[in-house]
Structure formats: C-alpha cells, structure tokens
Amino acid sequence: MPRQWIRARIGLTLAVSAALALTAVPPALAGPAAPGTGAGAPAPLTVEEQRLTQTAPQEILRRSGFASAAPALGRALAGAGSYREAERAVARHGGALWERAVARAQGRGPAGGDLSRDDDRPLYWARLGMSAELRQWRPAFGLDDTARARLLERLEQTSRGQDTLDLPAGKGVRRIVLTGFDPFTLDRDIRISNPSGASALALDGTWIRTADGPARVETAVFPVRWQDFADGEVERALAPVLPRADLFTTVSQGRVGRFDVERFNGAWRGGFGDNENVSRTGLVPVADPASQPQWTVTTLPYAAITAAPTGRFPVYDNTSVTEVPAGGTAPVVRPEGPTPGSAARAGGGGDYLSNEIAYRATLLRDRLGLDVPGGHVHTPVLQFGPGNTSEITDPEFVRNRLDIIAQVRAILVTAADAKG
C-alpha cells in the first residue's frame, strides 16, 4: 500500500472527525432524555407510531405487501435471548426492509400488491410498525432505556439506507449522494407521500450515464423530526461519504408545480411542527456555535440545472431569503439573497427541516474543506387527482410522482455533466 495513500487516508479520517466535532450537538445540548421506563418495561408509542391504526396506513401496508414486516421483527425479538441477538435481529430486519423497498421501487421481485411500485409510503409505515414492535417489546433479560434507544437508532439507520451509502472506489467512476425525506403533515392528510423519499428509493444503487462516464448514485432517507437533526443524524450519515462524493444533493418536497435549486440556506428553525407534533424555534443547534455561519451557499451548478430541459416541471434558481439585517430588529425578505452581517430567519428553502438538512450538509462540506458541488433541490408538491379526497392513490397521483422522480434523475445527470 503506497505511503502517500496511507497519509491521505489518515488525513481524511482526521478531517471527518474534526468536522463531526464541529457539527454534531453535544449531549448536553440535545435535550432531556426520555423518562425512565425500567429494565425490560415497554416504552410508550410515539405520535408517529400511534397514527398506524388509521385506515390509510393499514391499507398502504396491505396493498404493498409490507404488512408482514413488523410482525416478522416481533417474532425475531421474541426469540432473542440477549441484547446482542436482539441487535443482530434489528439490523437484519431493518436492512432487509430498506433493500425490499428499494427493490420494489426499481421493479425487482414481486410487487406484493396492487399499489404502484414507485410508492415511498410502504417503507415509512412499515418502519413505524417495526419501531412500535421494538418499543413495546418486553424481553426476558434486562433492557434499560439506553439500550432500547440504541436498538431503535440501529433500526433507523438500517431501514433508511444511512449505513449503506456505499460509494465505489477507483478511477473512471463518478459518485453521487442524494437524500430524501419521510412523508410529513400527516395530520393534515394521512395519505401523503413524499416524492423526495420516492426518488431516493428509485435511485439508490443505480448507475447513470454522464459526460465523464458512469456515475453511481447512493441514497438515504431522513426523518421529519427536529430532535433527530439536533442529535447529529445528518452529520453521522454524511461525514464518512461526502469526502468521496463528486456531487451531492439533499432533496425535499417544496412548492406546487415547480422545482427549485435553493441558493442560500439559513441557520434558523422556524417552529413548524414535525411528525411528532414538536415545534422548535431558534438557531440551528450545532457544536461550536462561535464558528457557525448564518448562511451557507449551494455549490450545485444552478445555472446549468435551470437552463436544461430536465422534465415536465419548470426549475428555478431561488435566491430569496428572509433575514434580520445587521443592526436591525425586524425580518426582511431579500429576493437576491442575504446582506452582509445579517441574521438568518429563512433560507431559500424556508425555515423547516428541508432548509436545515441543506444547511447541515453544506456546512459539513465547508468544514471538511471539500470542493464538491452540493446543495438542495426542492421538488413540486405531490398532488392527488382532482376530486380525490379519500382514496390512497389514483392515476394522476402516480403519474405526478413518476414524473418528479424522472426529473430528479435528469437534474442529477445535468449537474454531473456541468461539473465535467
């Protein structure tokens, strides 16, 4: 092994460790721990898990064949005689769920039901069923709150593809990282799907042709929960892979009828309720706030992306932000981006978790000292067909999602070609 290669690897490891130290929130800042439940005692279901009993989630699981995922994990946990056996079972079933969802989205294996293969919702609801099984599991051996939380985190990582961002080595291959989100605003409409999550499933592990040769796409999905982001989930997943990526983009659902490349990301949480109905307002929590910028900037080739004919929906270069100007007290909308010394109140992507994942990923890029195109893309809102207020799917709903997925892929190709 060449000595210079060893030095480069050591340097990369140290840089990643330093960046994580600067971006991950220390435990003291991550909020109070959950109340104790006692060794082996089941934990209460979360707000997200409690929605599982509603008609739409049950129909989605049944019509996709994913209704068996949670009971299967429950049986595996019942047979676990130790924490290590339980940990292996959780990792195996979580990873299998992600692989199954990806395979279904990409047309491999049985569909498992009549629900469209491109649907991201079976993964979301099946994962919640599995976490509910794990939360209510009462093992014969002692299991304290901390150990159960570790198992739940392992389930999250494996069932979201966060631990399998496997970028290939070698020359002549491009490497692209893309992230999506779970469905959200479920109390407004429990049927909702998120096209960013659907895009992640459709593209994970695929190869796309670029002007500089083949490119491998690796994806993961993130929760719509403030606390997970404060706990450093984004940085833990992305820090090991961004140094090896040639391009990355975080993706979320945004505005009706349009794509947006978000030019600026702000260090501010605007308070909108997450999937646990929790609200957070204030500065995005990261370690070492003394070096935390109010704004980060996309390095995606936005001019090329907005100019290219990537699909059915128009694509905009969105430069608008909301700031408190230097020396001011009231928020002001700035259509052309932030002014010097201002405090962020909303990035181009708003002040919710889509802005925050963009902020965290690009801040990580900057703290790692990476010269790589990266930023955030907002997809159109995924809409049901006219008049559909109760059915979990319809032909226009499927068409809209497929068109959005295809355009996300085309945007990746355009971005990769522009870099070349």
Side-chain angles (χ1 to χ4, degrees), residues 54-68:
Q54 297 187 41
T55 300
Q58 292 302 309
E59 184 178 353
I60 289 166
L61 290 170
R62 185 178 66 254
R63 291 178 61 180
S64 62
F66 277 54
S68 61

Side-chain angles (χ1 to χ4, degrees), residues 286-304:
V286 298
D288 193 16
S291 68
Q292 179 180 9
Q294 286 292 306
W295 307 97
T296 62
V297 183
T298 190
T299 47
L300 289 172
Y302 51 85

Side-chain angles (χ1 to χ4, degrees), residues 32 43 48 57 149 178 190 195 271 289 300 326 337 339 355 361 371 401-402 409 415 417:
E48 279 189 287
L178 178 145
I190 194 70
L300 289 172
T339 57
N355 168 76
D371 181 18
R401 186 167 51 215
L402 287 171
R409 184 183 184 279
D417 286 349

